[in-house]
Amino acid sequence: MPKAKGKTRRQKFGYNVNRKRLNRNARRKAAPRIECSHIRHAWDQTKSVRQNLAEMGLAMDPNRAVPLLKRKVKAMEVDVEERPKELVRKPYVLNDLEAEASLPEKKGNTLSRDLIDYVRYMVENHGENYKVSGSGLAGGTTWVRGYPGPFGV
């Protein structure tokens, strides 16, 4: 289907556009956002992913980082050559990650705030007299969902 006549316009070069900033912003948008703040702050945009992770002491491929030993005939000590260890230039990233991982985890399986307040109220008023606190539910409070009360609709 043909285009409407006169609707095409030739492209003009934008002289007032900063190309360096435009390319930098496009490269930043194309790269994914790194969620871990320690890695994000130590990241170098000019280097590859493998180089960045190697400088931080992290591995891109876990199979290469910890290779499985092959069951072969053992070579003589003379023949075995040691690979040079990769230099860790940013060890603080690894230390920060280890410190963050060793922090105790926050427990998320606690009761709701209104239920805690209600139980505290009942214990303060009735103590350990469970019959009174259970049967004398004031204001039509019930433990069944769907009915008026602290846990109802």
Side-chain angles (χ1 to χ4, degrees):
M1 194 163 145
K3 294 181 180 177
K5 189 174 180 183
K7 290 296 177 185
T8 58
R9 184 172 67 91
R10 77 180 180 94
Q11 302 222 339
K12 298 177 184 173
F13 186 78
Y15 290 98
N16 60 343
V17 176
N18 187 345
R19 301 278 162 202
K20 187 175 184 180
R21 186 186 313 134
L22 200 67
N23 289 334
R24 185 174 61 224
N25 289 344
R27 193 169 57 241
R28 279 191 186 143
K29 281 187 178 179
R33 175 168 167 77
I34 300 171
E35 293 296 325
C36 178
S37 62
H38 305 298
I39 296 176
R40 186 178 345 115
H41 292 310
W43 197 265
D44 188 1
Q45 294 291 337
T46 61
K47 296 183 180 174
S48 68
V49 175
R50 188 180 301 275
Q51 288 172 338
N52 269 312
L53 291 177
E55 280 189 353
M56 295 178 209
L58 303 173
M60 181 164 173
D61 187 9
N63 296 322
R64 287 181 180 256
V66 185
L68 295 175
L69 298 175
K70 307 269 186 193
R71 295 188 180 244
K72 291 185 178 177
V73 178
K74 291 188 176 183
M76 296 178 72
E77 286 91 19
V78 179
D79 295 339
V80 177
E81 58 187 52
E82 291 290 323
R83 287 190 299 162
K85 286 280 189 180
E86 294 181 6
L87 183 66
V88 179
R89 296 189 179 165
K90 300 175 183 176
Y92 58 90
V93 176
L94 201 56
N95 296 337
D96 291 344
L97 288 173
E98 286 177 354
E100 187 178 332
S102 66
L103 290 175
E105 188 177 343
K106 182 184 175 189
K107 293 183 181 178
N109 56 356
T110 59
L111 300 172
S112 64
R113 188 77 235 157
D114 57 345
L115 181 59
I116 292 171
D117 293 340
Y118 179 72
V119 171
R120 181 177 290 143
Y121 165 78
M122 285 298 199
V123 168
E124 287 173 359
N125 286 350
H126 303 292
E128 294 188 16
N129 191 356
Y130 301 116
K131 288 189 177 181
V132 174
S133 62
S135 63
L137 295 172
T141 307
T142 175
W143 291 97
V144 181
R145 279 205 177 272
Y147 292 97
F151 318 112
V153 179

